[in-house]
Amino acid sequence: MILAIETSCDDTCAAVLDGEGELLSNIISSQAELHDRYGGVVPEVASRQHLHLINTVIDETLSEADVALDEITLIAATEGPGLIGALLIGISTAKSLAAARKLPFVAVDHMLGHIAANFLLDDPVEPPFLCLVASGGHTLIAAVEDRSRYEVLGQSLDDAAGEAFDKGARMLGLPYPGGAELDRLAITGDPERFDFPVSMSGSDSLDFSYSGLKTSLVYKARDMGPEEVRRCRADLAASYQDAICAQLVSKSKKAIEQTGYSKLAVGGGVAANSVLRRQMNDLAEELGVRLFVPPIELCTDNAAMIASAARYLEEVPYPEYLDFDAFARK
Ligand code: KG4
Ligand code: ZN
């Protein structure tokens, strides 16, 4: 019986997963409203809010799972990458709980967690497979040969796809976090109205780049002026979103073609995007590969995916984990 904690950014999350891999509870307390007025996550505010919420979120997840703390046999927490202060709240809480009960502990890489969301599906993905992980801080394509590890085949050289969504949304006057808002606004827009560059599309590299796209939106908005931007907001959102997704899809296609994997999975907050989900479906059909897509609540940050990853990692017995630390980046 695993209790997992995830606090790498601005969601305070705890989940309980049983020995058969069945998810008993998955509590996510979003701080989005708190950060909205600043237009993005303020790390110090996030840390303090995690500290404020963490015990309540753990109590809630145990109670929803109808499991007593005494029944928990393994504690897991995200160790990184993420906001260091935020991570420290989660990992310190998890280590304290584990140490007080002399339970084993597992520290989980956040990106492996996003991949492991695909092990929670009714029909879970079995390695080997490729996984596109696109979140607010990272964009990468991983080869997964074994449930406990992944190899990065390509990654963003500058901004992450989620960052491109969030910054674009902010330029269009949408509230934070912008990705989901932009997704909603784009539904009524014309994705072919504006041309945005799709970086790196000509090369065989599996790396991504999003800073040029963001800059091109800045220039377009400047040339159009605020009144016209407001009038064309939905078309701008749809065209910009299409350019973000085009790169994710084309690199996934290249990765499948270069590696010959027959299964493709997705993960991370951007995998909640409606256009990306549809286009990845089309891609899988075109290439004749099987596609695995977690439900939206398992794409954005959650502790269920951390518990899922922990099932396949080596448990560290008490007290060997007491000096485990969080890390902001690898
Ligand atoms: O994985 P995640 O929840 O947190 C990180 O690990 O960063 O990803 C958050 C990112 C944010 O940039 C957010 O705007 C984006 O995922 N996101 C979306 C959607 N839902 C969340 N981006 C596009 N469309 C969405 N529906
Ligand atoms: Zn994440």
Side-chain angles (χ1 to χ4, degrees):
M1 194 72 83
I2 306 174
L3 170 66
I5 295 172
E6 148 66 43
T7 60
S8 66
C9 192
D10 63 337
D11 292 312
T12 314
C13 315
V16 177
L17 194 69
D18 74 11
E20 270 80 60
E22 188 174 339
L23 187 58
L24 302 185
S25 64
N26 185 29
I27 301 292
I28 301 163
S29 177
S30 166
Q31 305 177 6
E33 262 175 47
L34 197 63
H35 298 282
D36 181 27
R37 78 179 95 154
Y38 306 106
V41 178
V42 182
E44 182 60 27
V45 173
S47 311
R48 287 168 191 270
Q49 190 66 3
H50 282 309
L51 190 56
H52 182 62
L53 292 172
I54 190 79
N55 288 341
T56 310
V57 167
I58 292 171
D59 281 346
E60 214 174 303
T61 210
L62 288 169
S63 126
E64 194 176 300
D66 200 17
V67 166
L69 196 48
D70 281 344
E71 295 173 73
I72 298 294
T73 54
L74 175 66
I75 308 262
T78 308
E79 59 175 341
L83 301 172
I84 193 69
L87 287 161
L88 280 169
I89 304 299
I91 203 168
S92 309
T93 305
K95 277 165 47 179
S96 310
L97 269 175
R101 296 173 171 267
K102 298 193 167 41
L103 290 174
F105 177 78
V106 175
V108 178
D109 174 287
H110 184 77
M111 307 318 285
L112 182 64
H114 277 306
I115 295 170
N118 288 282
F119 306 146
L120 293 171
L121 304 181
D122 288 341
D123 179 16
V125 61
E126 292 290 339
F129 64 95
L130 273 189
C131 191
L132 169 72
V133 188
S135 69
H138 298 82
T139 301
L140 56 87
I141 290 187
V144 185
E145 292 279 340
D146 161 320
R147 288 186 174 206
S148 64
R149 283 177 290 127
Y150 62 98
E151 184 194 347
V152 177
L153 303 183
Q155 60 190 318
S156 180
L157 305 175
D158 41 54
D159 293 355
E163 209 174 332
F165 267 110
D166 294 338
K167 288 177 176 168
R170 200 170 160 188
M171 280 184 252
L172 295 176
L174 297 170
Y176 173 84
E181 294 284 339
L182 197 147
D183 191 351
R184 236 185 324 272
L185 173 64
I187 293 172
T188 55
D190 174 5
E192 286 171 15
R193 168 92 186 272
F194 296 101
D195 261 341
F196 283 104
V198 179
S199 305
M200 321 271 300
S201 53
S203 84
D204 279 342
S205 150
L206 298 180
D207 289 333
F208 301 82
S209 169
Y210 281 107
S211 64
L213 175 61
K214 180 188 67 194
T215 310
S216 96
L217 180 60
V218 173
Y219 287 141
K220 205 167 296 274
R222 195 191 55 187
D223 294 346
M224 290 167 71
E227 196 43 51
E228 207 190 337
V229 167
R230 226 180 342 268
R231 218 161 6 89
C232 305
R233 235 163 56 128
D235 292 342
L236 278 169
S239 304
Y240 182 78
Q241 168 173 266
D242 229 46
I244 297 178
C245 294
Q247 199 180 144
L248 295 171
V249 172
S250 89
K251 294 296 172 178
S252 303
K253 179 175 182 180
K254 283 201 170 101
I256 289 282
E257 287 170 349
Q258 286 176 20
T259 59
Y261 281 89
S262 61
K263 288 176 235 167
L264 178 60
V266 295
V270 176
N273 184 264
S274 60
V275 169
L276 182 67
R277 292 166 86 90
R278 201 163 54 235
Q279 292 185 351
M280 290 300 276
N281 233 329
D282 295 344
L283 176 70
E285 250 172 50
E286 177 194 332
L287 298 176
V289 299
R290 274 198 70 195
L291 181 70
F292 296 83
V293 184
I296 286 173
E297 66 276 15
L298 294 180
C299 288
T300 47
D301 285 349
N302 64 85
M305 69 184 198
I306 301 304
S308 173
R311 281 186 79 206
Y312 304 98
L313 295 170
E314 204 166 322
E315 299 179 2
V316 179
Y318 172 83
E320 288 169 28
Y321 49 79
L322 290 180
D323 62 349
F324 278 15
D325 210 350
F327 63 85
R329 52 181 64 233
K330 273 228 161 106

